Amino acid sequence: MKAVHFGAGNIGRGFIGALLFQSNYETTFVDVNTELIDELNKKEAYRVELAGTEDYMEVTNVSGLNSLNDEEKVIEAITEAEVITTAVGPNVLPMIAPLLAKGLGEKKSTGLVIACENMVGGTETLKNHVYENLDEEQKEWVSDRISFPNAAVDRIVPNQNQEDPLTVMVEPYYEWVVETSSVTSELPDIKGITYVDDLTPYIERKLFTVNTGHAVAAYLGKYNGHHTIKEALEDVKIKNKTQAALGESGGVLIEKYGFNTEKHQEYIDTIISRFENPDLSDEVTRVGRGPIRKLGPKDRLVRPALEYIRLKNEEPVHLAEVIAAALDYRNEDDAEAIELEGMIRKKGKVGAFCEIAEINENHPLVKAVEKHIN
Ligand SMILES: NC(=O)c1ccc[n+]([C@@H]2O[C@H](COP(=O)([O-])OP(=O)(O)OC[C@H]3O[C@@H](n4cnc5c(N)ncnc54)[C@H](O)[C@@H]3O)[C@@H](O)[C@H]2O)c1
Ligand SMILES: O=P(O)(O)OC[C@@H](O)[C@@H](O)[C@H](O)[C@H](O)CO
């Protein structure tokens, strides 16, 4: 069985690639990072280490292609693959869509495309970009053969600092949930995937707990001079604020999806202890990367804050404080942080926030954020 995976980065190698290997897939990684691709082709294997244990997995049956230089080979690999996955980041989905569309347009067999990105409706978004690159005949052809199920993925994979550029250390925990309602072909037997009819509660629970909590620790951590998530949470004030912000997003999730309150609190506690894992060193700059994306209307801070106001008719005090800290996020190595700084210089923090979050300056969330800005 063959798979193509776009993005040979942390989650690509450390999670998706590892599960595909365990399920007997031969995986072709497609990336723009020449070093990673060359190493994959040289070694045809890499190591996944489980943090805090002596356990590791030798992932084999892998190779690499460069999406810029090996276009014909990528198209051929797509035509042969049963499963095509991505973990490139939400902003890169439009960039891989033209090549994916070329491959899918030539594919004669059925297949599944699954975007494994931290966003609601990730595969749906990728599908729309792919369809923009197909003519009418190809659209019909692709819609008859290819399913595009949305997915939620959860495993903390920090930036790596390994001697071997392919080796990746991951936390032992993982969850990969895939929505079946749009799948017309047979579901692939991939170890570790949980298939569900409706992904919405799963992706919202994950994004608005794991990623909201992570964002609290990253933005308040960076603001207070901490370097890693673990270090940020050793600061009692930040840990309490993380709990408090997850109390707000949790209140929304409990009300929307009828989750059991105690069970949800247990979920929150488990997530926070994952952040505190002493065997993972996860930098606040990785977790806080892309502040414009993270301040977007559907993302981990603004979306639960808006829902909190709508459902509770109260101010989300703690989420608002984190949004204000995110507006203060500075990192010279992060293109979005530089862009955010430029926007703030031109329009001020409130103006920049309203534009990014797509809300009016009279919105109660803006008023709540302003209190922390001032
Ligand atoms: N790391 C985690 O803990 C984690 C967990 C769950 C989900 N995710 C999600 O997975 C996605 C990837 O995150 P990551 O942490 O692995 O990032 P990463 O930066 O380690 O990996 C992304 C990879 O995509 C590659 N890439 C960039 N542009 C490309 C292009 N045009 N064509 C092909 N490849 C391209 C990069 O070179 C890089 O190797 C993100 O959406 C992230 O939110 C990450
Ligand atoms: O990948 P991002 O930039 O959307 O978010 C950063 C982290 O919160 C994220 O990568 C988590 O580690 C991951 O989502 C855990 O499953």
Side-chain angles (χ1 to χ4, degrees), residues 301-310 314 316 319-320 323 365:
L301 296 173
V302 171
R303 176 75 177 169
L306 292 175
E307 291 282 85
Y308 190 85
I309 294 169
R310 184 177 70 81
E314 279 174 39
L319 289 169
I323 291 171
L365 179 58

Side-chain angles (χ1 to χ4, degrees), residues 92-365:
V92 179
L93 292 177
M95 296 175 206
I96 62 168
L99 184 53
L100 181 53
K102 281 187 191 162
L104 294 177
E106 288 192 18
K107 191 167 165 60
K108 304 279 181 289
S109 51
T110 59
L112 239 73
V113 176
I114 313 174
C116 304
E117 316 288 348
N118 279 335
M119 63 193 287
V120 175
T123 315
E124 191 66 35
T125 303
L126 176 59
K127 179 181 175 181
N128 292 337
H129 291 304
V130 166
Y131 273 54
E132 283 163 16
N133 289 279
L134 297 172
D135 62 32
E136 289 311 311
E137 200 183 327
Q138 286 173 320
K139 275 184 202 160
E140 213 172 298
W141 178 261
V142 169
S143 76
D144 280 349
R145 289 171 177 75
I146 311 297
S147 302
F148 287 84
N150 284 314
V153 287
D154 190 7
R155 172 172 249 181
I156 298 174
V157 190
N159 285 335
Q160 306 292 313
N161 193 12
Q162 310 263 5
E163 208 174 302
D164 179 337
L166 292 181
T167 299
V168 55
M169 183 185 275
V170 303
E171 67 165 341
Y173 177 93
Y174 66 80
E175 189 177 47
W176 186 2
V177 188
V178 175
E179 186 172 65
T180 54
S181 53
S182 64
V183 180
T184 50
S185 53
E186 208 177 310
L187 292 171
D189 185 17
I190 299 175
K191 288 189 177 67
I193 288 191
T194 304
Y195 288 109
V196 298
D197 281 348
D198 179 9
L199 186 77
T200 315
Y202 293 88
I203 182 71
E204 291 211 349
R205 187 177 78 137
K206 192 266 166 172
L207 202 60
F208 303 148
T209 314
V210 181
N211 299 109
T212 301
H214 238 173
V216 181
Y219 293 127
L220 293 181
K222 180 81 163 56
Y223 189 82
N224 286 283
H226 301 300
H227 297 287
T228 65
I229 294 298
K230 180 176 161 290
E231 202 183 298
L233 288 171
E234 279 162 4
D235 183 333
V236 180
K237 270 199 227 137
I238 296 181
K239 185 166 176 177
N240 290 342
K241 284 173 195 281
T242 307
Q243 280 279 7
L246 292 184
E248 290 173 350
S249 69
V252 168
L253 294 166
I254 289 166
E255 192 148 336
K256 277 178 82 177
Y257 300 113
F259 296 153
N260 174 289
T261 305
E262 271 171 32
K263 287 234 165 73
H264 190 67
Q265 186 56 49
E266 277 170 27
Y267 179 68
I268 291 175
D269 293 341
T270 306
I271 302 305
I272 292 180
S273 62
R274 285 172 58 202
F275 296 165
E276 293 172 325
N277 187 337
D279 301 301
L280 284 183
S281 177
D282 203 2
E283 289 150 5
V284 290
T285 47
R286 181 194 79 82
V287 177
R289 66 185 170 191
I292 295 184
R293 167 170 61 93
K294 289 189 171 113
L295 286 167
K298 295 184 187 154
D299 217 283
R300 62 211 69 190
L301 296 173
V302 171
R303 176 75 177 169
L306 292 175
E307 291 282 85
Y308 190 85
I309 294 169
R310 184 177 70 81
L311 293 168
K312 309 258 180 204
N313 203 18
E314 279 174 39
E315 216 171 78
V317 182
H318 302 287
L319 289 169
E321 181 178 353
V322 182
I323 291 171
L327 289 166
D328 265 319
Y329 182 75
R330 298 289 175 269
N331 178 3
E332 289 305 313
D333 298 323
D334 184 326
E336 278 193 31
I338 295 169
E339 192 183 336
L340 176 63
E341 196 179 352
M343 284 176 84
I344 290 172
R345 221 178 293 121
K346 273 200 211 132
K347 301 164 199 261
K349 284 185 185 168
V350 169
F353 176 55
C354 290
E355 185 176 324
I356 296 165
E358 297 173 17
I359 49 178
N360 183 290
E361 62 181 36
N362 295 318
H363 194 286
L365 179 58

